């Protein structure tokens, strides 16, 4: 291409400035960045707080009160802060994207929204004009300045008489835009100021119709001193009720000063949803960030809602969420550790308090314990599991059963629970959330304990064999039962076991269930899938119906002379055994049950009719 000289017209570059459409920016803010125009008041308060903080650094004895006033003409907010010079006004108020907080005011709020330089523009979501009158405390010789901006993107700047505005500080007037009057109602302004600024370090008041309301509460409730631990706990619980809208079951103090976070975690009085991450109320240096901020706690802590204040975490551009970074990850871990420590403390020192907590949130503790072996070690004597010995702690269960058999599903446990308990076989239901993985850790915590998956063959092997003569007497019944249940992939055997109230036991291993599901799918599929699924067929043990020879019902089967009625009796035993497993029934099983019930009903009504005729 060769070298071009500066005189070469091809090498000449024209530089232009971006043209900013203010209405487009305001539309972007109101419809895409901010969730609601209500944030305009937060931004006004935040600018005032930053200005006051900057002035206090220059003069620790400077006034700090922030005043809002609202009437029919709009809203006014005044602060005795550091103020701006004429040059500052042009640089910071009229240049989108530049922030005084990272320049001349020395970062009064570290990494807050000021870094984005768009805070004041949020006011255009509700205002037609913004008028700012300001005088600098950093340069006493500077004149007061008025900056008047309009929603059409134009603004004007003029110097004012020093005598008229003798004190440093800033006052902002907002004139409502059409349709935004709702946001300027006195009660609405007061409520918003209290919501966003109740924990601010400076007094904030709202004046309307001659009445002055203080919206700040001073020192947060968790940083105050109390005459006793009971009074402190009562104050924390009351604050949680007022702030979060529910009566907390308990309160956990979250003092993590090294991480720049403090506050309280409130335990829900109703079970939380493990699939729903907790939403928390978070403040940044006393200014409300949001009341539904996620990501503050580990996912397993779904049973608490927090009120937190921090000066280290970074907000998102909208200041309604937290930026996911290494600092947030560290804070999340620290707060999670604090919740675990609290559980450890009450487990060791306050068993009644722990019992009240576990009665509601045992699932949450199991979720935590699945992430911490040490926590599981502490909580193991207090966590109850469903077993063949009843709902008992695993420590107690393991004293009687050194081999702990665990089921994969609730249905599998219900299938064998009664019979296993009667035979003295220890089985734990591993079908509930977190239970199976916690049970698997028992050998690490209880030496000498073995945990194995439940094998239905082990249950069958534990059942007593029947005397050959007795089994021979039932041979016609067994032959009929096998022919009836063979199409349902079920074998039939006879054993003697307890309790005698269970006439038949349905044993269905995982391999048999998988094969039956494959066969059923193949039966409903087209030719191609039938061929593919057929190739996957394996020779696996089938389900078994175990007839209980101790049951009088089973022993009487051989006395039934009517082959049709005997068949119906076998189908009924099969159906009852299936229902005891609590598992979903297939279409074939449902049809069998309906048929057996219908035939039994028909037999009963016919017998009643025959007796009636005999009586006549």
């Amino acid at each position: 291409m060769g070298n071009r000289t500066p005189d070469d017209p091809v090498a000449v570059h024209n530089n232009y400035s971006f043209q900013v459409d203010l209405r487009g920016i305001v539309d972007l803010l109101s419809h895409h960045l901010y969730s609601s125009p209500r944030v305009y008041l937060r931004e006004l308060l935040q600018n005032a707080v930053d200005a006051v903080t900057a002035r206090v650094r220059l003069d620790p004895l400077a006034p700090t009160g922030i005043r809002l006033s609202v009437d029919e003409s709009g809203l006014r907010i005044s602060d005795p802060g550091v103020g701006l010079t004429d040059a500052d006004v042009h640089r910071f108020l009229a240049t989108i994207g530049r922030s005084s907080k990272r320049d001349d005011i020395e970062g009064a709020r570290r990494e807050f929204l000021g870094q984005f330089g768009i805070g004041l523009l949020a006011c255009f979501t509700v205002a037609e004009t913004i008028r700012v009158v300001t005088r600098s405390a950093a340069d006493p010789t500077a004149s007061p300045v008025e900056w008047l901006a309009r929603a059409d993107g134009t603004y004007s700047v003029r110097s004012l008489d020093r005598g008229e505005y003798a004190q440093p500080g800033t006052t902002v007037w907002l004139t409502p835009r059409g349709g935004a009057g709702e946001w300027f109602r006195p009660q609405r302004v007061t409520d918003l100021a209290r919501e966003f600024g109740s924990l601010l370090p400076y007094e904030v008041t709202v004046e309307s119709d001659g009445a002055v309301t203080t919206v700040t509460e001073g020192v947060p409730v968790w940083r105050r001193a109390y005459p006793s631990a009971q009074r402190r706990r009562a104050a924390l619980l009351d604050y949680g009720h007022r702030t979060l809208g529910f009566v907390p079951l308990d309160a956990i103090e979250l003092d993590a000063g090294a991480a720049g976070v403090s506050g309280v975690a409130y335990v829900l009085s109703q079970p939380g949803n493990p699939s729903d991450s907790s939403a928390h109320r978070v403040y940044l240096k006393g200014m409300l960030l949001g009341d539904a901020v996620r990501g503050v706690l580990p996912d397993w802590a779904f049973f608490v809602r927090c009120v937190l204040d921090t000066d280290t975490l970074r907000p998102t551009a909208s200041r309604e969420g937290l930026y996911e970074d290494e600092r947030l990850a560290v804070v999340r871990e620290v707060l999670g550790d604090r919740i675990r420590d609290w559980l450890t403390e009450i487990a060791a020192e306050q068993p009644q308090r722990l019992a009240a907590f576990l009665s509601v949130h045992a699932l949450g503790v199991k979720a935590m314990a699945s992430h911490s072996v040490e926590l599981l070690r502490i909580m193991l004597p207090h966590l109850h599991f469903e077993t063949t010995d009843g709902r008992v702690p695993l420590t107690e269960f393991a004293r009687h059963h050194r081999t702990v058999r665990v089921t994969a599903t609730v249905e599998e446990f219900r299938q064998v629970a009664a019979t296993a308990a009667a035979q003295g076989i220890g089985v734990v239901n591993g079908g509930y959330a977190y239970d199976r993985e916690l049970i698997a850790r028992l050998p690490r915590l209880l030496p000498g304990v073995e945990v194995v998956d439940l094998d239905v063959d082990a249950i069958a092997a534990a059942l007593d064999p029947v005397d050959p003569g007795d089994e021979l007497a039932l041979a016609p019944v067994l032959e009929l039962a096998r022919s009836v249940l063979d199409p349902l992939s079920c074998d039939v055997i006879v054993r003697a076991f307890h309790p005698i109230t269970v006439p038949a036991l349905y044993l269905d291993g995982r391999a048999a269930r998988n094969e039956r599901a494959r066969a059923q799918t193949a039966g409903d599929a087209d030719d191609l899938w039938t061929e593919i699924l057929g190739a996957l067929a394996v020779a696996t043990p089938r389900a078994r119906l175990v007839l209980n020879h101790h049951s009088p019902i089973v022993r009487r089967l051989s006395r039934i002379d009517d082959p049709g009625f005997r068949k119906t009796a076998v189908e009924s035993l099969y159906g009852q055994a299936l229902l005891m497993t609590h598992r979903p029934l297939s279409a074939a099983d449902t049809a069998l049950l309906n048929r057996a019930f219908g035939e039994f009903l028909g037999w009963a009504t016919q017998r009643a009719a025959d007796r009636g005729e005999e009586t006549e």
Side-chain angles (χ1 to χ4, degrees):
M1 296 176 59
N3 295 324
R4 295 191 175 96
T5 66
D7 296 331
D8 188 338
V10 179
V12 174
H13 297 274
N14 294 318
N15 295 321
Y16 301 94
S17 297
F18 285 102
Q19 301 300 308
V20 177
D21 179 356
L22 186 58
R23 288 194 180 276
I25 293 292
V26 171
D27 179 73
L28 179 66
L29 295 178
S30 60
H31 293 98
H32 301 284
L33 183 61
Y34 298 127
S35 61
S36 167
R38 65 202 290 270
V39 298
Y40 87 93
L41 194 60
R42 180 191 66 194
E43 297 307 325
L44 287 175
L45 281 175
Q46 188 66 71
N47 286 338
V49 169
D50 292 341
V52 170
T53 301
R55 184 170 180 193
V56 168
R57 290 181 178 179
L58 296 175
D59 178 8
L61 300 179
T64 58
I66 299 170
R67 306 289 178 259
L68 291 94
S69 178
V70 59
D71 55 32
E72 65 278 357
S73 65
L75 178 133
R76 182 181 75 247
I77 179 170
S78 301
D79 70 73
V82 72
L84 299 172
T85 64
D86 183 273
D88 292 336
V89 167
H90 284 283
R91 292 177 61 197
F92 302 130
L93 297 186
T95 304
I96 296 175
R98 174 168 294 186
S99 170
S100 61
K101 283 72 172 182
R102 64 165 176 257
D103 291 285
D104 291 359
I105 303 183
E106 302 176 355
R109 57 178 181 184
R110 181 172 51 189
E111 298 183 11
F112 278 23
L113 187 56
Q115 66 179 306
F116 300 105
I118 56 178
L120 194 59
L121 289 183
C123 296
F124 277 121
T125 61
V126 297
E128 186 65 30
T129 63
I130 302 174
R131 180 179 176 234
V132 178
V133 173
T134 181
R135 181 166 184 176
S136 175
D139 184 1
T141 64
S143 298
V145 182
E146 178 193 70
W147 180 78
L148 180 62
R150 304 167 185 83
D152 61 6
T154 63
Y155 72 93
S156 61
V157 179
R158 67 187 179 100
S159 296
L160 303 176
D161 183 82
R162 293 186 184 183
E164 187 176 356
Y165 298 93
Q167 298 300 319
T170 301
T171 300
V172 180
W173 287 265
L174 301 185
T175 302
R177 66 188 303 175
E182 166 68 17
W183 299 103
F184 290 85
R185 287 193 305 104
Q187 189 59 51
R188 189 64 174 272
V189 170
T190 301
D191 291 343
L192 289 176
R194 179 178 289 111
E195 180 179 4
F196 286 118
S198 62
L199 298 188
L200 288 174
Y202 312 123
E203 183 184 68
V204 178
T205 59
V206 180
E207 180 181 359
S208 176
D209 297 328
V212 178
T213 303
T214 301
V215 299
T216 44
E217 301 178 3
V219 179
V221 63
W222 57 87
R223 293 181 186 148
R224 300 175 191 172
Y226 295 90
S228 67
Q230 291 76 12
R231 291 280 296 275
R232 180 178 185 84
R233 175 175 162 79
L236 291 176
L237 291 173
D238 178 68
Y239 179 79
H241 185 195
R242 289 188 291 109
T243 304
L244 299 179
F246 66 89
V247 178
L249 182 67
D250 216 324
I252 308 169
E253 294 196 54
L254 302 175
D255 185 6
V261 178
S262 65
V264 186
Y266 290 98
V267 181
L268 297 175
S269 51
Q270 299 293 328
N273 184 354
S275 63
D276 183 20
S277 61
S278 300
H280 309 284
R281 189 175 184 87
V282 177
Y283 294 82
L284 296 180
K285 285 192 173 180
M287 181 67 72
L288 179 67
L289 176 73
D291 56 7
V293 179
R294 302 186 183 276
V296 177
L297 293 182
D299 290 340
W300 50 256
F302 53 83
F303 52 87
V304 296
R305 297 292 181 270
C306 294
V307 180
L308 299 173
D309 187 30
T310 176
D311 60 2
T312 60
L313 299 178
R314 295 173 56 195
T316 57
S318 66
R319 275 178 41 84
E320 296 176 342
L322 290 171
Y323 188 79
E324 185 68 46
D325 59 9
E326 185 177 352
R327 274 177 289 187
L328 180 57
V330 170
V331 166
R332 190 159 46 228
E333 182 177 355
V334 170
L335 297 183
D337 289 342
R338 180 64 196 97
I339 294 174
R340 276 192 285 259
D341 292 343
W342 171 81
L343 265 177
T344 302
E345 292 167 8
I346 65 171
E349 303 171 7
Q350 303 178 57
Q352 291 182 336
R353 198 170 168 187
L354 176 67
F357 171 76
L358 289 178
S359 67
V360 180
H361 295 295
L363 180 62
V365 176
K366 289 181 178 180
M368 284 190 293
S370 68
H371 293 81
S372 170
V373 174
E374 287 307 311
L375 180 65
L376 177 59
R377 188 188 307 277
I378 295 166
M379 299 305 299
L380 201 57
H382 308 285
L383 295 175
H384 288 70
F385 293 74
E386 186 177 14
T387 77
T388 47
D389 290 353
R391 290 195 61 82
V392 297
L394 289 180
T395 48
E396 178 181 334
F397 183 80
R399 281 199 295 269
H400 305 287
H401 306 281
R402 306 308 288 177
T403 296
V404 177
R405 292 178 171 84
V406 57
T407 66
T409 65
V410 174
E411 290 76 14
E412 190 176 18
F413 176 80
R414 291 172 177 170
Q415 176 180 327
V416 302
T419 303
Q423 307 305 126
I425 301 173
V427 181
V428 183
N429 188 347
Y432 295 115
Y434 308 110
D435 283 10
R436 186 173 174 82
E437 53 192 292
L438 295 181
I439 296 166
R441 295 186 176 185
L442 273 183
R444 297 176 58 183
L445 305 178
L446 302 176
V449 171
E450 179 187 16
V451 175
V452 298
D453 288 338
L454 175 70
D455 183 357
V456 293
D457 288 335
I459 301 295
L463 306 180
D464 294 332
V466 177
D467 181 88
D470 293 332
E471 186 169 359
L472 182 62
L474 284 174
V477 175
L478 294 175
E479 182 180 0
L480 173 64
R482 287 164 183 158
S483 65
V484 169
L485 299 182
D486 183 69
L488 300 174
S489 299
C490 182
D491 293 331
V492 183
I493 60 175
V494 60
R495 294 288 186 272
F497 56 88
H498 293 279
I500 63 174
T501 54
V502 177
L505 177 66
Y506 185 82
L507 295 180
D508 190 15
R510 268 165 265 179
R513 287 197 300 272
N514 292 339
E515 172 59 19
R516 187 169 58 254
R518 182 209 61 78
Q520 183 175 351
T521 303
D524 298 335
D526 56 29
D527 292 341
L528 175 60
W529 279 108
T530 298
E531 183 177 350
I532 294 173
L533 291 169
L536 298 177
V538 292
T540 59
R542 303 201 303 171
R544 277 173 287 181
L545 181 69
V546 185
L547 301 180
N548 185 3
H549 192 264
H550 284 329
S551 169
I553 295 175
V554 171
R555 291 200 299 269
R556 290 171 187 156
L557 289 177
S558 59
R559 304 176 192 172
I560 300 176
D561 297 328
D562 185 341
F565 186 60
R566 181 183 290 178
K567 174 176 176 291
T568 299
V570 168
E571 291 176 336
S572 298
L573 288 176
Y574 173 79
Q576 181 188 27
L578 271 183
L579 293 174
M580 287 177 59
T581 68
H582 299 273
R583 68 174 180 82
L585 301 180
S586 68
D589 293 334
T590 302
L592 179 145
L593 279 172
N594 290 336
R595 183 173 63 253
F597 177 76
E599 291 179 0
F600 257 129
L601 188 61
W603 175 82
T605 54
Q606 181 61 48
R607 185 175 181 183
D610 293 342
R611 286 182 175 178
E613 292 176 0
E614 292 175 0
T615 303
E616 293 176 359

